[in-house]
Amino acid sequence: MSLDALRSFGACPREPHAIIQGVAVQAPLPQNEEQRLKALYSEHILDTATEQAFDDLVKLASFICGTPISTITFVDPARQWFKAKVGVALRETPRDQAFCAHTILHPEEALVVEDATKDSRFFDNPLVTGGPNIRFYAGVPLVTDEGHALGSLCVIDTKPRTLTPEQLEALKVCRNQVMRELDLKRKTAELTHSLGLLEESQQKLQASETRYRELVDRSLGFLCVHDLEGKLVLVNPAAHQALGYREEELIGKNMIDLLTPGSRPLFPRYLERIRNTHSDTGLMRIRTKSGEERVWMYRNVLRLEEDAEPRVIGHAQDVTDSQKMEETLRQQVAQDPLTKLFNRRFLEEAMTREIRKAVRRKRSVAVLMIDVDHYKRYNDTYGHAVGDQVLVTLANFLKNGIRAEDMACRFGGDEFALVLNEAAAEGARIRAEVLCEKVRELSILDGGRVIAGFTLSIGVAAYPENGATLQDLLEAADKALYRAKKQGRNRVCVADKVPTAAAAHTTTAQSSADD
């Protein structure tokens, strides 16, 4: 067959390699060598035993092409290895001698060498100068769907020759069948592996179901299983005993019916989180059969299995007592024990947050520093019990005289502080004047005595007019309070404004730090 005929059939698009001075050319590595080797190793074909299906294909290729030698070859980093062969005793040869190492360089083309002694790539190749004395070679690449050439199906002769277009086409058909056999072999191995895992998992599942049920029944924690609508399908003894129900009363019951009325609107969101993230953790307020309210901390996980309904595995424990203790501790930390107002520590933390919000929202926040005028006289004249009663009365007066979004605190001794949200200095001053007026109406009964005539001295400071940080505002309000007392008490004084440039600089810095 002529070279032009082969080229037109897609067998040899490149010019023949004439012998030139020097040694035979070793095949370079394909550009995708790393990916090609990964694809090769994923087939798990190297160094496997002979198989009839592959042996039959090399015999068929040899018969069709009329050659004494045919191989199915795979090329790894160091060698070409023959999965199937006819007419050759070798099982592998070094890669640097392999004709197939050249074939895989062009996955879309067949490689045909009509006379290896006249080809610069192969003329001094040991497989040409010695056994098996290759003269003719035709190979078609074994290419995966991803385009990786793993090796080749080739036919070899010990004398120069060529192939007809029909023979080359038949060789490609045989090559396609090799790839189908590889695919079948891989899928069979995967199926066998999967069946083995399935059998193993079924055995483990059967053994674990008994252990799981025993674990659920004996667990001291609250365990349950419910569907994606919240309907209970399993509840362990610890849980139904804590709720005051029999197990059969709970199975089929929706969890929302066990929640306190205030918690029920939150239940659809819980189910949504479970569907979206497959787990959820939090607190759930439960009402027992007797009507007692308890707090359960839960950690629930969605279990998805093939051929089974989705189920939520729930684990919870009763944290009611610890919740009550934490709430008591929080109150003790943040609350003044005498007046029940927030204490100075809480004020400073809360006011820092309010200033940050005011910076972000470009709004105002004010603080009133309040001193009970001549408080020491009440202690000295009527005793400390009456002095304490005066503080409690004034604390209630201040707490009842502010909005829900404002805050009243006992700053220390006979000093109080009010934090007024979204109040500028002038608005805060007006509200302070009202307090000074109304406090005069207060009175305390001590036995048969009426104690009245209370007055207040108040210092006012606001963000951003009088400062941009907690420390700035407290110092400004304290100075204004000192001025009010120095001017004769029973009055309101507003802190001096800070320079505009300085306030702007400080506010910008505060905002940047918060961001």
Side-chain angles (χ1 to χ4, degrees), residues 329-345:
L329 289 174
R330 279 196 296 269
Q331 291 178 356
Q332 290 175 351
V333 169
Q335 197 175 72
D336 173 59
L338 175 64
T339 63
K340 307 306 178 186
L341 297 183
F342 293 117
N343 58 24
R344 177 172 180 170
R345 175 181 174 181

Side-chain angles (χ1 to χ4, degrees), residues 89-123:
L90 297 173
R91 193 69 196 268
E92 62 183 49
T93 65
R95 180 169 177 168
D96 58 8
Q97 299 176 9
F99 281 57
C100 291
H102 292 265
T103 305
I104 64 174
L105 294 176
H106 300 280
E108 72 282 357
E109 302 171 1
L111 174 64
V112 176
V113 179
E114 294 181 351
D115 187 347
T117 63
K118 297 179 180 180
D119 193 304
S120 64
R121 295 169 294 181
F122 308 114
F123 74 94

Side-chain angles (χ1 to χ4, degrees), residues 271-317:
L271 293 177
E272 184 178 356
R273 291 194 299 272
I274 284 288
R275 293 189 189 98
N276 293 339
T277 66
H278 295 183
S279 66
D280 195 48
T281 302
L283 297 177
M284 194 172 286
R285 297 189 177 276
I286 300 291
R287 175 171 285 177
T288 67
K289 189 174 183 179
S290 64
E292 182 184 8
E293 293 188 3
R294 309 292 294 177
V295 180
W296 285 11
M297 182 173 66
Y298 67 89
R299 184 184 299 272
N300 296 358
V301 178
L302 177 61
R303 182 178 179 181
L304 297 173
E305 294 182 356
E306 291 186 7
D307 302 324
E309 292 291 329
R311 289 290 185 261
V312 179
I313 312 299
H315 176 259
Q317 62 184 101

